[in-house]
Amino acid sequence: LSVIVMVAVCLLVTNVMTMLYFSVPTTIIGVVVSILRYRGEKKKYRSQQQLRLDTYSTYLQEQVRELEALRSEQQTVLAHMSPSTDVCIRRAAAVDRELWGRLSRDEDFLSLRVGSGTLPASFSVQTPKQMLRLESDVLAEQPTQIAERFAMIPDCPICVPLGEHLRCVALGKNLIVQAAAHHSYCDLRIVVLCEQEETAQWEFCRWLPHCWDEGHTARLIANTPETIRALLERLAAGQNAGLGAAPRAKPWYLFVCAAPETVTQHAFMKFLTANRRELGISVLYLFDRIDLLPEECHDILDCREAVGVLFERRHASRKQPFQPEQVPQARYEQFARSMAPLRMEAKGAPALPRSVSFLQGYHVSRPSELALDKNWANAEPERSMAVPIGVRGDGTPFLFDIHEKR
């Protein structure tokens, strides 16, 4: 029996050792394989994440470049439509074709630049909808950051529509330059009413063709209570005569009122505060105190601080800040003198003269002035037998040539 027990114990020990010999290496191999597989999966995940990061970052960079191009395009277009006062002065000096480019039927008629500031973008950025995440994702947050970055466009012209009723505290001379540069004197007349002690500030206006009446007989500038009243009475007579006319006769009148006491006490204020488009009147009040302004004024330009503010009285909390433009006084004089000799061509077809005499056809007054010998010597009848038989509307001769084939 003892022998049998010993044999059984030996067999049991042998089986355990055999199992250990096989199970330990297998376990070690499994652990190593798991570690290697984990490292491989981790490396693959990192590679995929890096690829995702690179691909999406490249895509976002392309979108940013496109948005920057759109932003630059909007800034360029707005700057071209509403250039700075300095650009307007240079256009006048160069007699640029952009002068007087706005007509009374245009939407931006009398929309004048007061400075530069930030405006909403004309384009929108669509971002993916944010889902609930337990961990932060840098890539998922970047589109929102880009959208916020391009929601507003800096360095844009801030304009105020003088076509609507306006109340303003400052920037009068800049706005006059803007108005005179964008609108011809056929469409716009500028009336300047100022205090006598401020005459030097407005002296440049006397060179502007916009500051003359329609007959070009008197300037629309007054600087004393007497001359202001006389000018307003003359303009009031014209307004009363034109009321009810349809359509309203040109031109539009822009009143620059820098003499509060004289202007506000005159009967002409009923036209200035009427806010009726058929009257063809816009007003720019240059008053130091808000309480002096008529109640009918709604838009306010406050430039008492270094940074100006544009807002409406009924929405005073919605303020648009802007940086006013600084222009030396000599530049205003340069601009006005550049504009002084400019004249608009008469619209419509030129009128034909009633009659033209024979001598007028040759631009002489006496028969002895006809250079017959020279004409005969230079004649080439084999080429042309053109002779003047009349005058065109533009003054050039109308020739008849029997050699000309129709």
Side-chain angles (χ1 to χ4, degrees), residues 48-319:
Q48 291 177 345
Q49 286 295 102
Q50 187 63 41
L51 178 63
R52 173 175 175 264
L53 179 62
D54 294 341
T55 303
Y56 198 53
S57 297
T58 302
Y59 170 76
L60 290 180
Q61 290 175 2
E62 293 176 355
Q63 298 304 308
V64 167
R65 285 194 292 268
E66 292 182 7
L67 292 173
E68 288 176 344
L70 290 174
R71 179 174 63 184
S72 178
E73 181 180 1
Q74 180 175 345
Q75 291 172 329
T76 302
V77 170
L78 291 177
H80 178 77
M81 295 176 59
S82 301
S84 66
T85 304
D86 184 68
V87 172
C88 291
I89 294 173
R90 283 191 272 114
R91 284 182 179 179
V95 194
D96 193 278
R97 65 178 183 177
E98 296 289 344
L99 280 175
W100 300 346
R102 295 182 188 175
L103 304 177
S104 57
R105 63 175 177 268
D106 294 337
E107 293 183 0
D108 58 352
F109 182 73
L110 280 181
S111 177
L112 307 181
R113 174 172 174 160
V114 297
S116 58
T118 302
L119 291 178
S122 59
F123 52 88
S124 60
V125 180
Q126 301 295 332
T127 59
K129 185 178 180 181
Q130 293 290 340
M131 305 297 291
L132 179 62
R133 298 178 182 274
L134 298 179
E135 298 180 357
S136 61
D137 189 344
V138 177
L139 294 181
E141 296 173 356
Q142 286 188 8
T144 302
Q145 296 173 356
I146 293 175
E148 294 174 352
R149 173 183 169 188
F150 288 95
M152 303 296 291
I153 307 297
D155 300 327
C156 291
I158 304 300
C159 299
V160 60
L162 290 187
E164 305 295 335
H165 220 287
L166 170 72
R167 174 168 60 109
C168 186
V169 178
L171 300 179
K173 291 183 290 186
N174 284 2
L175 293 179
I176 287 178
V177 171
Q178 295 273 335
H182 295 309
H183 311 90
S184 76
Y185 60 87
C186 296
D187 292 325
L188 178 67
R189 302 283 173 170
I190 301 176
V191 182
V192 179
L193 309 174
C194 64
E195 302 286 359
Q196 189 170 11
E197 56 269 19
E198 296 179 352
T199 302
Q201 295 291 330
W202 307 101
E203 190 72 15
F204 74 97
C205 293
R206 65 191 183 94
W207 295 101
L208 294 175
H210 304 72
C211 291
W212 288 86
D213 62 5
E214 296 187 47
H216 206 75
T217 57
R219 288 189 175 94
L220 303 177
I221 303 174
N223 60 354
T224 64
E226 295 76 17
T227 56
I228 291 176
R229 283 192 289 266
L231 178 56
L232 291 179
E233 289 170 3
R234 182 156 56 89
L235 294 174
Q239 284 294 331
N240 288 322
L243 288 178
R248 186 193 65 78
K250 288 185 177 183
W252 194 280
Y253 278 82
L254 169 60
F255 284 80
V256 181
C257 299
E261 295 183 1
T262 306
V263 174
T264 55
Q265 295 176 4
H266 197 278
F268 196 82
M269 279 297 293
K270 66 181 180 182
F271 296 112
L272 299 182
T273 58
N275 200 15
R276 293 166 53 188
R277 186 171 181 81
E278 63 270 17
L279 294 178
I281 291 178
S282 295
V283 190
L284 175 63
Y285 294 105
L286 305 181
F287 295 171
D288 294 331
R289 292 163 44 194
I290 293 180
D291 59 294
L292 295 177
L293 297 165
E295 296 180 356
E296 292 78 6
C297 299
H298 303 293
D299 299 323
I300 303 173
L301 281 170
D302 189 349
C303 296
R304 291 174 293 183
E305 304 295 336
V307 177
V309 178
L310 170 62
F311 62 95
E312 297 181 16
R313 172 180 289 177
R314 56 186 176 181
H315 302 296
S317 60
R318 304 176 187 174
K319 296 184 178 181

